[in-house]
């Protein structure tokens, strides 16, 4: 797959991972739904039920919060509805009608009390009392004239008047035969049965004039009226017990009216007492105001009860009962309004979070990413991939490897590519191509992907020419050196021919080349050593190594360790001899011919002409000397040559160094 297309691929994978997290949270929120919604405690058709039954994230609970608070009166109404709807409608209606009738009777009593205790009624009684007193005083004055100088007290008073009228009645009962009343002079007194003298006749005439006079009559009439009014008023019992049944109805259904009614009766009783005291002359006639009689309120309750009774009576029919049932359901839901609103608030918050999660989850859909990845692949990447791959495969294998890049499916925004044979699209590449050809195809695919990146980061290759013969190795080296002109290339390989080819091509291009080799020591591996190992290093590097070896040999010499010194000298001259050979290949022959290289570099042939006879003599002399001290030949027992001293070792190494430097200088001067 080309670089760049991993972006929609990774984006799709990220979306899938995020989607999975959203689904976990979504499932958690779904599980958090209150179980009360499965078995609602509210009625579906009530105000609460309609809202709670259709809760959404955006539901406004303000209408529910605005409902009146559930009152004590509501609770009583609910209790009554529950009782009434649980029994036969006719029975319940009769009960409610009796309650209404109790109220109607109470209203009559209340109106009567209100009338009897009104300011007008009480002031009338006071007025009658005052009139009777006034007229009695007038009559008394008149009586004093009629009954003055009486020997006995009480004459003219009520008892006496009763006696007088009784005498009159007796006289009248005698008819014409009687003496008449009052009797005249000479007549017989009906009381004492004696003849009436003139003085007695005159006195009795005054008595009769008083009795028959207007003043006394008016006084008696006023007293009678007052007496009647007072008896009637005193006989009134202003107490709530007069309407006890209605009072209980109001206490149960409308306690505020019952309270006002109780106050009304208490004030009526107080006004009665105040009036009686005023009449008795104990207090001045000052009356406490009478509260308004709750007649209209009682009439309203009575009317409601009658309407309710009618509804109960008709509740045998569906429509009327449904109205009462709905009223009961509304009250039931309002009673639990606080709990229901809290449930609704919690559910709305859950639905808001759930809606947000679902909205976010929708954004993780990978179809748009897949379309984008496919569009990029089809419109941009595929043509570039195809053309670039052909360039790379031709650069590595020429026209001998007939393959191409084609689109090959993909998922979640991740289109992929496959290598197909030109000759047979159905055949598997690995079944047809050789191992070396497959390696070239793999390397061409990688370099094709690399060409589609925007970065120039370092590349690391591990034995890129494994299984490649010399036909492919040179092409790979050439291509990697080209790539090294735009980025750092790090190559691990054990193929020295490939190393030489890389070094040669990179040097000619003027690229910076760094060479190191890895080694092991004991049980440890991965030691990094500068430059190439001995067998692959050049003359200059080897001279440095020989000088280090000479210093080690000198230390053995100074320590009088002859055996180690002899071994060090033998190894040093063996390496010195191979270095003279490497100088012959690298310097004398000017890189024209290299062992195991499959071409001859004729460009360096002219430099070989700078070689002189003295150069050959120095080479031969020193090359032969090295052979005398290495262990490549078994010396005779009688010819045990002593190794040269350390100073001679340094001289022989310096000879090689100066010879190679001088020869390079002369050859470089040849044009």
């Amino acid at each position: 797959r080309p670089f760049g297309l991993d972006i929609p691929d990774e984006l799709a994978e990220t979306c899938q991972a995020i989607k999975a997290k959203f689904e976990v949270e979504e499932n958690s929120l779904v599980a958090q739904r209150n179980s009360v919604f499965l078995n609602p405690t509210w009625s579906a058709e009530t105000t609460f039920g309609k809202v709670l039954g259709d809760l959404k994230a955006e539901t406004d609970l303000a209408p529910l919060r605005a409902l009146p608070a559930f009152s004590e009166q509501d609770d009583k109404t609910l209790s009554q509805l529950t009782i009434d709807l649980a029994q036969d409608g006719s029975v319940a209606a009769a009960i409610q009608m009796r309650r209404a009738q109790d109220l109607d009777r109470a209203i009559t009593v209340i109106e009567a009390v209100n009338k009897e205790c009104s300011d007008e009624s009480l002031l009338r009684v006071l007025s009658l009392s005052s009139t009777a007193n006034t007229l009695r005083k007038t009559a008394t004055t008149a009586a004093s004239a009629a009954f003055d100088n009486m020997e006995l007290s009480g004459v003219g008073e009520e008892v006496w008047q009763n006696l007088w009228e009784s005498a009159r009645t007796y006289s009248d009962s005698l008819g014409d035969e009687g003496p008449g009343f009052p009797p005249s002079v000479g007549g017989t007194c009906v009381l004492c049965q004696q003849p009436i003298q003139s003085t007695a006749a005159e006195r009795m005439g005054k008595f009769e004039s008083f009795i028959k006079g207007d003043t006394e009559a008016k006084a008696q009439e006023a007293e009678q009226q007052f007496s009647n009014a007072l008896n009637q008023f005193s006989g009134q019992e202003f107490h709530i017990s007069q309407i006890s049944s209605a009072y209980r109805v109001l206490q149960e259904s409308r306690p505020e009216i019952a309270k006002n009614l109780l106050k009304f009766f208490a004030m009526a009783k107080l006004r009665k007492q105040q009036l009686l005291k005023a009449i008795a002359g104990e207090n001045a006639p000052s009356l406490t105001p009478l509260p308004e009689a709750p007649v209209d309120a009682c009439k309203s309750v009575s009317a409601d009860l009658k309407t309710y009774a009618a509804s109960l009576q008709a509740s045998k029919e569906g429509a009327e009962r449904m109205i009462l049932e709905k009223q009961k359901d509304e009250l039931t839901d309002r009673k639990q309004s606080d709990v229901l609103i809290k449930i609704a608030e919690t559910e709305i918050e859950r639905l808001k979070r759930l809606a947000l999660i679902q909205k976010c989850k929708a954004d993780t859909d990978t179809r748009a990413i897949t379309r984008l990845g496919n569009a990029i692949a089809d419109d941009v990447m595929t043509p570039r991939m195809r053309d670039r791959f052909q360039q790379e495969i031709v650069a590595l294998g020429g026209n001998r490897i007939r393959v191409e890049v084609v689109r090959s499916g993909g998922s979640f925004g991740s289109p992929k590519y496959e290598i197909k044979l030109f000759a047979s699209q159905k055949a598997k590449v690995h079944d047809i191509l050789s191992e070396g050809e497959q390696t070239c195809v793999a390397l061409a695919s990688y370099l094709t992907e690399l060409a589609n990146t925007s970065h120039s980061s370092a590349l690391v290759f591990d034995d890129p020419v494994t299984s490649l013969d010399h036909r492919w190795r040179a092409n790979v080296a050439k291509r990697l050196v080209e790539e090294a002109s735009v980025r750092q290339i790090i190559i691990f390989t054990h193929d020295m021919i490939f190393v030489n080819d890389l070094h040669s091509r990179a040097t000619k291009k003027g690229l910076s080349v760094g060479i190191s080799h890895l080694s092991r020591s004991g049980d440890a591996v991965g030691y990094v050593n500068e430059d190439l190992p001995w067998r692959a290093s050049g003359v200059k590097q080897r001279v440095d190594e020989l000088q280090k070896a000479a210093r080690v040999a000198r230390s053995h010499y100074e320590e009088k360790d002859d055996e180690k010194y002899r071994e060090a000298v033998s190894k040093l001259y063996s390496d010195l001899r191979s270095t003279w050979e490497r100088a012959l290949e690298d310097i004398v022959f000017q890189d024209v011919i290299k062992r195991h290289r499959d071409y001859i570099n004729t460009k360096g042939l002219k430099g070989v002409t700078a070689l002189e006879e003295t150069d050959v003599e120095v080479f031969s002399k020193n090359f032969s000397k090295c052979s005398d001290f290495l262990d490549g030949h078994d010396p005779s027992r009688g010819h045990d040559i002593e190794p040269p001293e350390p100073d001679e070792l340094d001289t022989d190494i310096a000879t090689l160094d100066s010879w190679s430097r001088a020869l390079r200088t002369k050859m470089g001067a040849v044009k």
Side-chain angles (χ1 to χ4, degrees), residues 225-397:
Q225 289 178 352
F226 169 66
S227 178
N228 292 339
L230 182 60
N231 290 336
Q232 180 181 354
F233 180 73
S234 299
Q236 292 286 349
E237 185 63 33
F238 301 149
H239 197 274
I240 197 69
S241 60
Q242 293 176 267
I243 56 169
S244 57
S245 297
Y247 181 65
R248 285 194 296 272
V249 171
L250 292 173
Q251 278 187 313
E252 293 174 2
S253 60
R254 298 293 296 275
E256 72 281 1
I257 299 177
K259 182 178 179 181
N260 292 338
L261 190 58
L262 186 62
K263 182 179 179 181
F264 171 78
F265 271 90
M267 290 298 102
K269 185 175 182 179
L270 177 60
R271 283 166 68 88
K272 175 183 177 181
Q273 293 171 352
Q274 289 173 339
L275 178 65
L276 293 176
K277 288 182 179 181
I279 290 172
E282 297 180 14
N283 300 100
S286 176
L287 300 175
T288 301
L290 182 66
E292 182 181 357
V295 173
D296 291 339
C298 291
K299 287 181 178 179
S300 177
V301 174
S302 175
D304 290 343
L305 288 173
K306 291 173 183 177
T307 302
Y308 180 43
S311 299
L312 290 172
Q313 184 64 39
S315 64
K316 293 180 179 180
E317 301 176 6
E320 291 295 335
R321 187 171 185 86
M322 286 177 62
I323 293 173
L324 295 176
E325 291 282 1
K326 183 174 182 182
Q327 182 183 359
K328 172 177 169 291
D329 292 341
E330 288 283 357
L331 289 171
T332 301
D333 288 352
R334 279 178 52 207
K335 186 174 184 178
Q336 55 177 337
S337 60
D338 290 344
V339 174
L340 295 183
I341 288 176
K342 287 182 180 179
I343 290 174
E345 289 172 343
T346 301
E347 177 64 6
I348 288 173
E349 286 303 313
R350 186 189 74 88
L351 290 174
K352 285 181 179 178
R353 290 177 57 199
L354 187 60
L356 182 59
I357 291 297
Q358 291 171 343
K359 184 178 179 181
C360 292
K361 192 176 78 168
D363 288 342
T364 63
D365 187 272
T366 59
R367 287 176 292 184
I369 301 171
T370 301
R371 288 194 295 270
L372 176 62
N374 289 334
I376 295 173
D378 294 337
D379 301 338
V380 180
M381 302 304 296
T382 299
R384 290 173 59 186
M385 287 280 291
R386 184 174 55 247
D387 296 344
R388 185 69 186 203
F389 178 78
Q390 289 304 315
Q391 294 177 19
E392 296 294 347
I393 198 65
V394 168
L396 293 173

Side-chain angles (χ1 to χ4, degrees), residues 44-68:
E45 296 303 318
T46 62
T47 304
F48 270 93
K50 290 177 181 178
V51 174
L52 293 174
D54 191 33
L55 274 182
K56 296 181 176 61
E58 62 276 9
T59 298
D60 184 8
L61 297 180
L64 296 185
R65 296 191 181 99
L67 290 174

Side-chain angles (χ1 to χ4, degrees), residues 100-310:
Q101 291 169 352
D102 289 341
L103 276 173
D104 289 342
R105 285 190 291 271
I107 289 169
T108 302
V109 174
I110 295 169
E111 288 177 335
V113 171
N114 190 50
K115 182 179 179 181
E116 292 295 330
C117 288
S118 66
D119 288 347
E120 182 181 359
S121 295
L122 297 184
L123 290 175
R124 176 178 171 275
V125 175
L126 282 173
S127 177
L128 289 173
S129 174
S130 177
T131 299
N133 289 333
T134 300
L135 291 176
R136 174 50 54 198
K137 288 178 181 179
T138 302
T140 301
T141 301
S144 65
F147 305 114
D148 192 23
N149 299 320
M150 293 291 105
E151 295 179 3
L152 299 176
S153 62
V155 177
E157 294 181 3
E158 183 178 359
V159 175
W160 182 89
Q161 289 185 28
N162 290 335
L163 176 63
W164 183 267
E165 290 298 328
S166 295
R168 183 194 304 280
T169 301
Y170 172 70
S171 178
D172 290 341
S173 69
L174 297 177
D176 293 339
E177 296 179 358
F181 193 85
S184 60
V185 177
T188 302
C189 176
V190 296
L191 294 175
C192 66
Q193 298 293 312
Q194 293 180 11
I196 298 298
Q197 300 296 324
S198 59
T199 303
E202 182 182 359
R203 185 181 299 115
M204 293 182 73
K206 289 181 180 180
F207 289 166
E208 182 66 11
S209 296
F210 171 76
I211 294 299
K212 295 295 186 180
D214 181 69
T215 302
E216 178 62 20
K218 287 182 179 179
Q220 289 181 359
E221 181 182 0
E223 288 174 341
Q224 186 62 46
Q225 289 178 352
F226 169 66
S227 178
N228 292 339
L230 182 60
N231 290 336
Q232 180 181 354
F233 180 73
S234 299
Q236 292 286 349
E237 185 63 33
F238 301 149
H239 197 274
I240 197 69
S241 60
Q242 293 176 267
I243 56 169
S244 57
S245 297
Y247 181 65
R248 285 194 296 272
V249 171
L250 292 173
Q251 278 187 313
E252 293 174 2
S253 60
R254 298 293 296 275
E256 72 281 1
I257 299 177
K259 182 178 179 181
N260 292 338
L261 190 58
L262 186 62
K263 182 179 179 181
F264 171 78
F265 271 90
M267 290 298 102
K269 185 175 182 179
L270 177 60
R271 283 166 68 88
K272 175 183 177 181
Q273 293 171 352
Q274 289 173 339
L275 178 65
L276 293 176
K277 288 182 179 181
I279 290 172
E282 297 180 14
N283 300 100
S286 176
L287 300 175
T288 301
L290 182 66
E292 182 181 357
V295 173
D296 291 339
C298 291
K299 287 181 178 179
S300 177
V301 174
S302 175
D304 290 343
L305 288 173
K306 291 173 183 177
T307 302
Y308 180 43

